[in-house]
Each structure stands twice: as structure tokens, then as C-alpha cells.
Amino acid sequence: MTTDVQAAILRYHAELDPIGVKLVAVSKFHPASLVSEAYDAGQRLFGESRVDELLEKEQVLPSDIVWHFIGHLQTNKVRKLVGHVSMIESVDSERLLDLIDAESARKGVVTDVLLQLHVAREETKFGFSPDELLEYFRDRRFENLKATHLCGVMGMASNTDDVDRINADFKQIADTRRQILEIAPDLMRFDIVSMGMSGDYREAIANGATHVRIGTDIFGSRQY
Ligand SMILES: *Cc1c(COP(=O)(O)O)cnc(C)c1O
């Protein structure tokens, strides 16, 4: 029998696979049993936003699951997380980036990361401003990284019904990645644009998303 979660996974893959967009199934606040259901429908890439929750699920679920960390990462949790995830999508400050790099070097691993951009009109969202990030690359401060691979950018659109606003936010995220590549054309494989959630993933794709992060529409509403 196909469960609701599995039907949603299959529906998303039918829509996204032909256009080459990757689905990050956001399982935060949902039990490992639901991750298993999605896994049985073929899903391998999952997003979690809390370190302890991710580590607990990692212990009980198949080892070929690819975990992306997508939440705000507190600096005191870096040590716990590095080595346990394929990618940290939510690197929102240079200090955090440097800590991830130092911890990765210490553990002898290379950590793939995305740089989180803040373009939405909300005060509370974490991330670099586009200008801040462009300056980081203009100064070539990324050359100090030893054990981190910068794979692209991640971001969110404003939480609004205004579709023009949402499109403008997504366009700015995608444009910033292109501008970074113009400033530093020697960056290798800086090609990921992770943006779009249940409510706005179609706009995100129209503006160049390579990865969408879908939670509610697959797993249902979350019990916080
Ligand atoms: C929770 C979360 C999502 C998924 O949001 P939905 O609206 O449930 O699809 C995507 N990205 C981030 C960063 C999140 O924290």
C-alpha cells in the first residue's frame, strides 16, 4: 500500500526529476518512521534543522540516507554535527564558516556547505546580505578555507502572498550566485541554488532553484 507520504514523494519526483531539480525532503519534527516511509518510496535526501534530532535519526535509519542540515547552527553544536552530514546548507556567518572549516580539518573530513543569503523582508531571518557575501569573495577570504567546499547558496523568500515580492527575492538569491562566480570564476562547482518550500517552490524553480526543500506538503503539519 502507498501511504500519503509516499504518494507525495512520488508526485514530487514525477514533477522534479524530468527538470533536474533535487528534492530535499524536510523531516524536521517528524518521527523516523515517516522518514522510513519516504525512504521506501525511494527518497534518499533529507533535511533537518536541529542537530540532536538529526543525530538521533541518523542512528536508527539506513546509512545511505543523505542528510542536509538546514537550520540555524549554533556555534557550540558545530563539533557534534561535522562529519555526520553531507551538507550544511545554512551557513549564515563567516564566523560559523570558519568554525566548520576548523572542525572539518581537525576531523580530517571535507564539509560541503551552502552560504545562506538573507533577502526576505523579515527581521528575524539569519544569513549574509548579498553585499556582505560579494565582499567576502572580492576579498578572496574563501582562500583561507582548508576543509570546506563552498557549493553554492541557500535562501528563503519573504513570507507573503505577494508573488512579485517572492519572485524578486528568489531572483536576487540566484543572481547573487552568478555575481559571486563573476567575481571568483575559479570557484569549483559553485552551482547549487537551494530555495523554495512547500508554498513557493514553483516560483523558486522558475527563478533557477537547483534544490527545493519541502516539508509540510510531504509530511503534513509539524507538532512543535
Ligand atoms: C522547515 C523548513 C523548510 C520546509 O518548509 P515547508 O513549508 O514545511 O515545506 C524549508 N527550508 C527551511 C530552511 C526550513 O527550516
Side-chain angles (χ1 to χ4, degrees):
M1 214 192 81
T2 308
T3 65
D4 287 350
V5 166
Q6 291 172 333
I9 292 290
L10 297 176
R11 188 160 33 79
Y12 270 100
H13 280 283
E15 181 177 353
L16 302 179
D17 293 354
I19 54 173
V21 173
K22 295 245 165 56
L23 172 65
V24 182
V26 177
S27 48
K28 65 184 184 196
F29 295 93
H30 292 291
S33 58
L34 283 193
V35 178
S36 277
E37 280 186 21
Y39 180 92
D40 289 340
Q43 183 65 24
R44 292 294 179 273
L45 173 52
F46 292 89
E48 286 284 339
S49 62
R50 295 187 303 181
V51 173
D52 293 324
E53 185 178 348
L54 188 154
L55 297 180
E56 279 164 28
K57 285 177 181 162
E58 184 201 31
Q59 283 207 346
V60 299
L61 287 160
S63 59
D64 62 339
I65 286 183
V66 175
W67 296 104
H68 281 196
F69 190 80
I70 63 168
H72 175 60
L73 179 56
Q74 290 167 303
T75 51
N76 63 353
K77 294 279 173 84
V78 167
R79 185 155 282 191
K80 254 178 143 174
L81 186 66
V82 166
H84 290 272
V85 280
S86 298
M87 186 176 284
I88 301 174
E89 294 200 13
S90 44
V91 175
D92 54 14
S93 72
E94 197 173 336
R95 174 169 134 81
L96 178 61
L97 180 58
D98 289 342
L99 277 171
I100 291 168
D101 190 56
E103 180 61 18
S104 302
R106 199 184 70 86
K107 287 202 173 102
V109 299
V110 174
T111 303
D112 285 347
V113 306
L114 302 181
L115 301 166
Q116 182 172 354
L117 275 160
H118 175 144
V119 300
R121 301 305 114 166
E122 281 113 56
E123 293 302 320
T124 55
K125 294 246 171 92
F126 295 102
F128 295 89
S129 71
D131 283 346
E132 230 181 326
L133 213 46
L134 296 178
E135 188 192 295
Y136 176 78
F137 285 97
R138 230 175 256 123
D139 288 352
R140 299 192 65 85
R141 301 210 286 277
F142 62 92
E143 289 183 338
N144 299 328
L145 298 173
K146 294 173 195 68
T148 309
H149 180 235
L150 303 176
C151 300
V153 297
M154 179 270 220
M156 277 172 253
S158 303
N159 185 11
T160 170
D161 292 333
D162 179 354
V163 179
D164 291 341
R165 172 83 264 152
I166 291 169
N167 276 309
D169 287 349
F170 284 143
K171 182 172 184 302
Q172 193 179 12
I173 293 166
D175 282 350
T176 302
R177 187 198 68 92
R178 270 189 291 272
Q179 288 164 349
I180 289 170
L181 268 182
E182 279 166 22
I183 292 170
D186 51 330
L187 280 177
M188 301 285 282
R189 292 176 292 118
F190 189 74
D191 44 22
I192 294 181
V193 181
S194 173
M195 59 187 189
M197 320 200 297
S198 294
D200 57 16
Y201 77 93
R202 288 207 167 91
E203 286 80 8
I205 292 169
N207 286 284
T210 63
H211 291 55
V212 294
R213 307 179 307 269
I214 311 292
T216 310
D217 204 28
I218 293 171
F219 296 107
S221 58
R222 292 178 282 270
Q223 305 280 318
Y224 291 101

